[in-house]
Amino acid sequence: MAKPVYTVNALRILFVVLGCLMLGILIYTLSTNGSPFRRELFTPWMTATLVDFYINVIALAAWVAYKEPNWISGAIWIILLVCFGSIATCAYVVLQLFKISSQDPLQDPLYHVLLRHWNKNDVERHKTISFVVVARVFFSALGCMMLGTLICTIMIDGLPFRKELLTPWMEATLVDFYINVVAIAVWIAYKESSWVTALLWIVLLICFGSLTTCAFIVLQLAHLSSQDPLYLVLLNDHSSNPAIIKHDAF
């Protein structure tokens, strides 16, 4: 019992610290470099970074939309994700972590963070289309879009490893991007049964960003049949056990 409690507390501290860090960086960059909505800031690599950033935001927003009990709260959180990036991500994750009560079975605390408690009106239980297939196509398309963006940017502007590209707003955007990467990396570490494969995926995530996010999601979706509920993609093999889900989903 102690280990899951320590895990929850460690994740709470981690995302509180990351959220405060990003908030401080945002305030500092605004005060020293003004608004980010200036045309000269939108270099080819800044544009590619924003595309990369927002594809990860889409993946996080899909989870938020699933988690929230109604479309109004879901829409509010998604708008916050779009506007405030990883600050909203950290706030949402911390909120979900604090919803874990002492009455919850803590053998798998991330199960309670990731999974929504279903009710009889949920679309997934009365589906007329395969959301698994839709998600496969959707994230495959996003991955292809990011790959195309990356190739085009390299052809137009060369490699990104140049000091002049690291403007204050580019640095702030990269911190924002990688805090969201931390959130996705926690999920990947939870999903993978082997720490070796988890580490490999996380390294790829750090190096290739949303390309890896999309590849990982599509690969996990490939393990599901078209008739499976889409939320199973969030869970690891143990937590995907039908008996566990049946016990906790209502």
Side-chain angles (χ1 to χ4, degrees), residues 56-91:
N56 276 345
V57 166
I58 288 171
L60 292 165
W63 170 58
V64 170
Y66 156 77
K67 277 285 291 183
E68 286 304 296
N70 60 74
W71 70 268
I72 297 176
S73 61
I76 291 171
W77 275 109
I78 290 171
I79 291 170
L80 291 174
L81 279 173
V82 171
C83 296
F84 296 102
S86 63
I87 296 174
T89 301
C90 292

Side-chain angles (χ1 to χ4, degrees), residues 10-248:
L11 289 173
R12 288 170 180 168
I13 293 169
L14 173 65
F15 284 102
V16 167
V17 170
L18 290 177
C20 291
L21 172 66
M22 188 60 230
L23 180 61
I25 289 172
L26 178 62
I27 293 171
Y28 175 78
T29 309
L30 279 169
S31 63
T32 57
N33 287 272
S35 170
F37 305 109
R38 305 197 305 272
R39 187 173 181 178
E40 66 269 18
L41 294 177
F42 287 90
T43 62
W45 274 111
M46 183 60 151
T47 303
T49 302
L50 288 172
V51 172
D52 207 5
F53 174 82
Y54 278 109
I55 290 176
N56 276 345
V57 166
I58 288 171
L60 292 165
W63 170 58
V64 170
Y66 156 77
K67 277 285 291 183
E68 286 304 296
N70 60 74
W71 70 268
I72 297 176
S73 61
I76 291 171
W77 275 109
I78 290 171
I79 291 170
L80 291 174
L81 279 173
V82 171
C83 296
F84 296 102
S86 63
I87 296 174
T89 301
C90 292
Y92 191 79
V93 171
V94 169
L95 183 63
Q96 301 309 309
L97 287 165
F98 274 104
K99 285 182 179 180
I100 298 176
S101 69
S102 58
Q103 285 74 40
D104 288 327
L106 288 176
Q107 288 80 5
D108 190 358
L110 284 181
Y111 169 83
H112 297 279
V113 172
L114 291 168
L115 196 68
R116 174 183 177 182
H117 295 284
W118 294 93
N119 62 60
K120 62 183 180 180
N121 296 318
D122 284 318
V123 174
E124 182 79 17
R125 292 190 176 271
H126 305 283
K127 64 181 181 180
T128 56
I129 61 174
S130 172
F131 289 102
V132 171
V133 173
V134 171
R136 286 175 190 163
V137 173
F138 181 68
F139 282 101
S140 295
L142 287 179
C144 291
M145 183 177 76
M146 187 59 231
L147 180 60
T149 300
L150 183 61
I151 293 171
C152 288
T153 308
I154 291 174
M155 292 175 63
I156 292 169
D157 202 38
L159 293 174
F161 308 110
R162 307 195 307 272
K163 188 176 180 179
E164 65 268 20
L165 294 177
L166 288 177
T167 63
W169 275 112
M170 173 63 93
E171 291 174 349
T173 302
L174 287 172
V175 174
D176 206 5
F177 174 82
Y178 279 108
I179 291 175
N180 277 345
V181 163
V182 171
I184 295 169
V186 170
W187 173 59
I188 289 175
Y190 167 76
K191 282 281 293 181
E192 288 297 312
S193 56
S194 164
W195 69 267
V196 176
T197 54
L199 183 60
L200 177 60
W201 275 110
I202 291 169
V203 170
L204 291 172
L205 182 63
I206 292 169
C207 295
F208 298 103
S210 63
L211 268 176
T212 303
T213 302
C214 293
F216 186 80
I217 291 173
V218 170
L219 184 62
Q220 302 309 306
L221 289 167
H223 295 159
L224 303 179
S225 77
S226 61
Q227 301 306 311
D228 282 331
L230 183 56
Y231 63 81
L232 290 182
V233 75
L234 294 169
L235 305 176
N236 60 23
D237 290 340
H238 171 71
S239 296
S240 298
N241 186 306
I244 296 175
I245 293 174
K246 183 178 180 181
H247 171 75
D248 200 57

